[in-house]
Amino acid sequence: MLVVLYSEIQIFSTLTHKFMVPGHTHYKCDYDHSAIERQKKKTPVEIAHPRDWYQLVRSTSHTNKFDVYEIKSGDFYDFGLILKQHCKFGGIQYKTLNEAEPFHILNLKRSGHPKPAVTFDKLYNGPCKITKERKKDLIDLLPLIDPMFHSFHEGLLTDEKLRNIDPDK
């Protein structure tokens, strides 16, 4: 499905996002993910820390080498303010990838006037936190992880207000 989001203020003119139908498409990213999985199967190195993933992806021989950027919690911004305060959306146009099919329009007009200046706050003001339950699960797995990485897992911060979310629901 092809989705085009458009706005009545000029933060952006259009944003095109393609949602693929599982099992019916093959895009470059599918090949990239497959190359990474093949490299993981060939590599005897155990993945015990996020940096291990960075190195594995960097080492994947592929038509084009992957650029890997290590992001920190301070690299995330809260774009939710666009919807809440700053932007008056016109709507979303959507259609399947069938070129002959016309776009359908989902109207998202909101009342009020957009504010002229848009600034984005950082989404996190420090390291990201996890739930106590998730940390307990990770600590229970420490016997399976190289002791060199125990302090990383033991040092993960928790937040009482967070709740586990099942991504499949």
Side-chain angles (χ1 to χ4, degrees), residues 7-14 82 86-87 115-116 118 120:
S7 169
E8 292 179 4
I9 62 172
Q10 291 302 311
I11 294 172
F12 52 84
S13 57
T14 62
I82 290 176
H86 300 286
C87 194
K115 295 180 181 175
V118 177
F120 302 107

Side-chain angles (χ1 to χ4, degrees), residues 22 24 41 52 67 77 79 84 115 127 133-134 136:
H24 295 280
K41 288 178 183 174
D52 297 335
D67 292 325
Y77 291 89
F79 294 105
K84 293 176 188 167
K115 295 180 181 175
E133 296 83 6
R134 184 154 292 154
K136 181 196 174 304

Side-chain angles (χ1 to χ4, degrees), residues 134 164-169:
R134 184 154 292 154
N164 284 326
I165 298 172
D166 184 350
D168 295 329
K169 291 185 180 176

